[in-house]
Amino acid sequence: MYNRLDDFANAKKHARDALTKYGALGAREGEVPALFCLAEVMRAGSQDDRQEARRLSETALAVVQERGLEYNLSWALHYVALARAEEGKLS
């Protein structure tokens, strides 16, 4: 929601909060959408932020694969591709 309003500070805060809370619960499946949201925010930032977006996307993909979350697989691949594209890594 905040991404669409260009409120990146709140988007980053809420995504990090969600990621922290799901992590504290041990709810890896819940971390996936939080990772997606945070990666989306970070893609719009600096070069270091874009590198973090790629790492976050790759982490989400790893969780999706290890947990067999088939519904989220296409989304995870999509976020990895977007992050790699932002870094100019299209191959």
Side-chain angles (χ1 to χ4, degrees):
M1 176 175 102
Y2 292 106
N3 290 359
R4 292 189 182 112
L5 299 174
D6 293 333
D7 190 350
F8 296 113
N10 268 327
K12 193 184 302 185
K13 177 193 178 310
H14 288 283
R16 286 195 194 280
D17 287 350
L19 187 57
T20 299
K21 289 176 182 177
Y22 280 120
L25 291 171
R28 298 287 287 164
E29 292 84 353
E31 290 178 5
V32 171
L35 287 163
F36 290 162
C37 290
L38 188 52
E40 181 73 14
V41 173
M42 300 308 282
R43 280 191 319 107
S46 68
Q47 181 177 356
D48 288 342
D49 290 339
R50 290 189 297 275
Q51 289 174 351
E52 184 177 352
R54 181 183 39 81
R55 288 190 296 273
L56 292 163
S57 299
E58 290 170 350
T59 299
L61 176 59
V63 172
V64 165
Q65 289 174 326
E66 78 184 28
R67 297 292 177 141
L69 305 174
E70 293 183 23
Y71 173 79
N72 288 311
L73 182 58
S74 61
W75 280 110
L77 292 168
H78 174 75
Y79 278 97
V80 169
L82 289 173
R84 290 183 57 81
E86 285 292 332
E87 291 184 302
K89 297 178 181 176
L90 299 176
S91 59

